[in-house]
Amino acid sequence: MREQQSNPRWAMLDDFPIPLDRSAAEPLSVQVAEALRTAATTRVLRVGDRLPPSRALAQRLGVSRAVIAAAYDQLHAEGWLTGRRGSGTYLSTDPATAPPSTVARKGVENEPTLLDLAAGAPCIEALDRAAWRRAWRSAGDRTPEARKDRAGEPGYRDAVAEHLLRHRGLAAGAASVVLATAGTSTAVGELAAALLRPGDTVAIEDPGYLRAVGAFQAAGTTVLPVPVDAHGLCVDRIPPGVRAVYCTPAHQFPMGARMPAGRRVELVEFARSTGTLVIEDDYDGELRYDTAPLPLLAAMAPDVVVHLGTTSKIIAPTLGVGWLVARPDITEAVLAHRARIGSSPSPAGQLVLAEFARNGDLARHLRRLRRVVPPRRALLVGELADRGLPVLGDDAGSHVVVELPDAAAEAAAVDAARSRGVLLDGLARHHLATPHRFGVALGYTALTSTELARAVPIAADCLAAHVTRRS
């Protein structure tokens, strides 16, 4: 208490509201990080201000210390915070010099840091920190609105529409409407609550994105697994009578396949003939390096497809923004659902992205990603090839897959890598039904270049050892 009284800036943060929605799809750590960013951009926190210790803030908010530690780690990675040995954590005096890695994960106390090669994290190292700070400052200069727009900030929706037209070939016009969302999982939950009834069935890829599964199940729907092959979702295996189909055609998660044109046509024809809604999650859609992307399902068939996107894989998940593009009756149903429950996506991240896009920095960032990421993929694939390990996954996105023969081999490889300081993500946990694909999904975007160069040979050695042992 004496230390808090001697630091008035710390005391001001004690008075700053950090609302937490424990029913939301976003992790609590993401919500805390967003609130602290808002405190910085609105000048509640200023350069040099000291943040409370993670234990103190955790007690105040009624959450675990790990939640606050994760939020602080993310803000450190983005350059907002800096640590001073023996004297705490401060709003950074020079965010551009902050360490860029977001995924060198710390375990329990006294456990060494793990280099995380799991899929699904963005390449923070490629982000232009000066442009990022400009966007936050410009967003913070906006006069606060008395009410939130349930559809999203107009400037943000315009920026998303321009982004989709320029980079994804999707024209939002009279046939479709852009809504802001708080991210893909939240959008899935909103669609399920607005359009489906408890007991309705939804088809989803297996293995697939389990957060989407959780969002559907939370709305009371029944989720039915559909296998994937080298071309993505197997349309001919979709069970009869489903109300909706959820898929990741640009870069299937986690197996990495790109759905070819013929399969896309087959899915659209199925949807139209059965009255099924297709929910297209554009996972890793902006990250293509070999050829131009195929037309989006939503561009092919806006009458039966809802398109979902997010900045979590191209910028940072903590920005907490995404988008939904659908025909007007669907967007009206989503807005009505938001009105019923008093929910709407936070405008803070929307304002930041709108500013980031307005100055051309978003387009420049995407071009930079397409230059920076391919060498990372080449490093990983090269190390695997040197050990005779073939990879699965299209030349796109932010991860590849190495298959292993069985569950025992997967577990042994993951354990061996962890013992050497590298965290691997096994495929078995991504199944809805009984696991039938084993191996690991290896991400290559989130670690710094130096960390990646250390982690990749270790992962390759552990995988090669257990493929040899079990084959």
Side-chain angles (χ1 to χ4, degrees):
M1 180 63 69
R2 288 193 299 273
E3 188 172 10
Q4 288 187 358
Q5 290 173 344
S6 66
N7 190 327
R9 297 302 308 166
W10 189 353
M12 286 185 69
L13 182 61
D14 282 343
D15 296 331
F16 181 75
I18 302 181
L20 298 179
D21 182 0
R22 287 168 170 79
S23 66
E26 295 86 3
L28 294 176
S29 61
V30 173
Q31 298 180 44
V32 172
E34 182 178 1
L36 292 176
R37 278 193 221 91
T38 300
T41 57
T42 57
R43 305 297 191 268
V44 172
L45 280 173
R46 297 173 186 169
V47 169
D49 285 350
R50 182 180 184 181
L51 272 69
S54 58
R55 187 185 304 278
L57 188 55
Q59 289 175 346
R60 173 192 153 194
L61 299 179
V63 298
S64 72
R65 188 179 180 185
V67 168
I68 306 303
Y72 280 12
D73 284 347
Q74 179 63 33
L75 294 172
H76 269 291
E78 294 174 7
W80 287 98
L81 303 181
T82 187
R84 299 177 188 170
R85 184 176 298 276
S87 62
T89 300
Y90 294 78
L91 195 65
S92 179
T93 55
D94 184 9
T97 64
S101 173
T102 63
V103 289
R105 294 187 181 172
K106 292 184 179 179
V108 296
E109 193 170 356
N110 298 324
E111 181 178 323
T113 297
L114 295 173
L115 298 175
D116 191 350
L117 285 177
C123 186
I124 298 293
E125 193 173 48
L127 189 63
D128 182 336
R129 301 304 175 83
W132 190 234
R133 293 197 301 274
R134 282 197 303 272
W136 277 96
R137 284 196 297 267
S138 297
D141 287 340
R142 287 277 303 271
T143 301
E145 301 287 346
R147 297 180 183 276
K148 291 190 287 187
D149 188 331
R150 295 201 190 281
E153 292 294 311
Y156 171 78
R157 295 168 66 196
D158 290 343
V160 168
E162 178 67 15
H163 167 75
L164 292 173
L165 180 62
R166 292 182 57 188
H167 298 284
R168 303 300 290 125
L170 178 60
S176 57
V177 177
V178 177
L179 296 185
T181 72
T184 298
S185 299
T186 302
V188 167
E190 290 182 324
L191 287 168
L195 303 176
L196 304 176
R197 298 184 301 272
D200 282 348
T201 55
V202 178
I204 193 167
E205 301 159 326
D206 187 36
Y209 186 44
L210 294 188
R211 286 187 179 177
V213 174
F216 281 121
Q217 291 175 335
T221 62
T222 299
V223 179
L224 302 178
V226 178
V228 299
D229 61 15
H231 301 299
L233 179 79
C234 297
V235 177
D236 61 351
R237 301 287 297 277
I238 298 175
V242 298
R243 290 287 309 281
V245 175
Y246 170 92
C247 60
T248 52
H251 195 231
Q252 198 275 330
F253 183 83
M255 299 307 296
R258 176 174 65 160
M259 185 180 287
R263 183 74 62 88
R264 294 176 189 231
V265 170
E266 182 185 3
L267 179 56
V268 167
E269 290 178 345
F270 166 84
R272 284 176 170 159
S273 66
T274 60
T276 304
L277 183 69
V278 175
I279 300 173
E280 173 185 42
D281 178 353
D282 196 32
Y283 179 83
D284 275 353
E286 292 91 350
L287 301 180
R288 289 216 64 82
Y289 319 117
D290 54 350
T291 60
L294 291 170
L296 292 172
L297 293 173
M300 297 169 58
D303 53 321
V304 293
V305 177
V306 176
H307 176 84
L308 302 180
T310 178
T311 62
S312 65
K313 303 304 183 294
I314 58 173
I315 299 179
T318 48
L319 192 57
V321 295
W323 50 86
L324 179 158
V325 184
R327 63 181 196 249
D329 64 306
I330 291 176
T331 56
E332 289 169 4
V334 171
L335 291 176
H337 166 71
R338 291 178 180 177
R340 284 194 301 272
I341 66 172
S343 171
S344 57
S346 172
Q350 297 174 42
L351 294 174
V352 173
L353 188 73
E355 291 297 326
F356 197 58
R358 184 174 64 83
N359 296 318
D361 290 320
L362 176 59
R364 282 188 285 272
H365 176 65
L366 291 174
R367 290 195 294 270
R368 188 179 299 111
L369 282 177
R370 293 173 185 135
R371 293 194 306 270
V372 168
V373 174
R376 291 164 166 263
R377 186 182 194 279
L379 169 67
L380 176 58
V381 171
E383 290 281 354
L384 296 171
D386 287 346
R387 293 159 179 79
L389 296 171
V391 301
L392 302 179
D394 202 35
D395 188 5
S398 56
H399 75 277
V400 299
V401 169
V402 173
E403 284 202 286
L404 294 171
D406 53 38
E410 176 184 304
V414 170
D415 288 345
R418 188 181 185 94
S419 70
R420 296 178 61 184
V422 174
L423 190 62
L424 299 181
D425 185 17
L427 293 178
R429 76 177 188 90
H430 295 289
H431 286 80
L432 287 70
T434 302
H436 58 273
R437 305 286 288 270
F438 300 98
V440 297
L442 294 161
Y444 47 82
T445 51
L447 294 175
T448 67
S449 299
T450 301
E451 291 167 340
L452 189 69
R454 293 207 316 267
V456 164
I458 294 172
D461 285 344
C462 293
L463 291 169
H466 291 90
V467 164
T468 302
R469 185 176 300 169
R470 293 281 171 179
S471 59

